[in-house]
Amino acid sequence: MTKESLEIATFAGGCFWCMVKPFDTQPGIEKVVSGYTGGHTVNPTYKEVCSGTTGHTEAIQITFDPAVFPYEKLVEVYWQQTDPTDAAGQFVDRGDSYRPVIFYHNEEQKEIAEKSKAALDASGRFKKPIVTEIAKAETFYPAEEYHQDFYKKEKAHYEGYQVASGRAAFIDANWKG
């Protein structure tokens, strides 16, 4: 894998702590960074983003090798971490900073995301419409270091949050089996 062959994907799906592990553990993933994107302030802090005044959304940015793990598969993994019918946040995390968004970096990613969203909507898996936004990627600001790789650094806290937030039960009910 050469640096030239790597691509970037950016996804927002609620709390970024919960979005890293499902991607970080896949083959062909070089790195997953937690951060903020889509807002109007430069270099926002976690506290500022949580205040709801920056317009930013908690997101992850994935550096990946598409020859090993193509963008289509990243989108499939993304859907299975979120409630794509809830535009007002994800699970217990409410508000614009937790909204679900697929941020595309080029026209090919946009087409793949739109096609995948339409297929999920048509599948009948959910009774409500798929409302996850598909938007052009903007400047991505990495979050503070203590947020990076949270699932590794704070395993018990991460696992407890997955359960307490309702995310784990939703994934089990809607995506497993």
Side-chain angles (χ1 to χ4, degrees), residues 10-127:
T10 305
F11 300 121
C15 175
F16 50 31
W17 292 348
C18 298
M19 293 296 293
V20 174
K21 184 179 179 182
F23 295 97
D24 198 38
T25 55
Q26 301 296 332
I29 304 302
E30 172 130 327
K31 67 179 175 178
V32 182
V33 177
S34 295
Y36 318 106
T37 191
H40 55 269
T41 61
V42 176
N43 291 318
T45 65
Y46 180 70
K47 186 175 181 182
E48 291 169 340
V49 172
C50 288
S51 76
T53 61
T54 67
H56 285 289
T57 300
E58 285 192 16
I60 57 168
Q61 193 159 80
I62 304 164
T63 304
F64 68 103
D65 183 345
V68 177
F69 207 85
Y71 187 74
E72 291 89 346
K73 287 184 76 174
L74 288 174
V75 172
E76 285 177 29
V77 171
Y78 169 79
W79 292 126
Q80 296 176 32
Q81 310 315 309
T82 67
D83 176 353
T85 69
D86 186 354
Q90 291 290 281
F91 313 104
V92 297
D93 296 309
R94 311 311 300 157
D96 283 348
S97 63
Y98 297 109
R99 65 195 167 99
V101 185
I102 296 174
F103 291 98
Y104 62 87
H105 290 266
N106 55 47
E107 286 302 308
E108 181 183 16
Q109 286 186 356
K110 180 182 180 183
E111 289 174 22
I112 290 167
E114 287 176 344
K115 184 177 177 182
S116 180
K117 179 180 175 178
L120 180 58
D121 206 21
S123 74
R125 178 180 289 271
F126 295 97
K127 291 180 177 30

Side-chain angles (χ1 to χ4, degrees), residues 119-171:
L120 180 58
D121 206 21
S123 74
R125 178 180 289 271
F126 295 97
K127 291 180 177 30
K128 296 187 279 184
I130 305 304
V131 295
T132 299
E133 185 181 351
I134 298 172
K136 186 168 179 34
E138 299 179 37
T139 304
F140 182 87
Y141 300 99
E144 296 82 350
E145 182 56 34
Y146 69 93
H147 289 298
Q148 305 303 330
D149 295 320
F150 192 81
Y151 80 96
K152 293 178 186 175
K153 294 176 185 172
E154 298 285 343
K155 186 175 191 233
H157 187 165
Y158 163 77
E159 289 174 355
Y161 184 78
Q162 282 276 91
V163 172
S165 70
R167 186 181 294 261
F170 181 89
I171 291 169

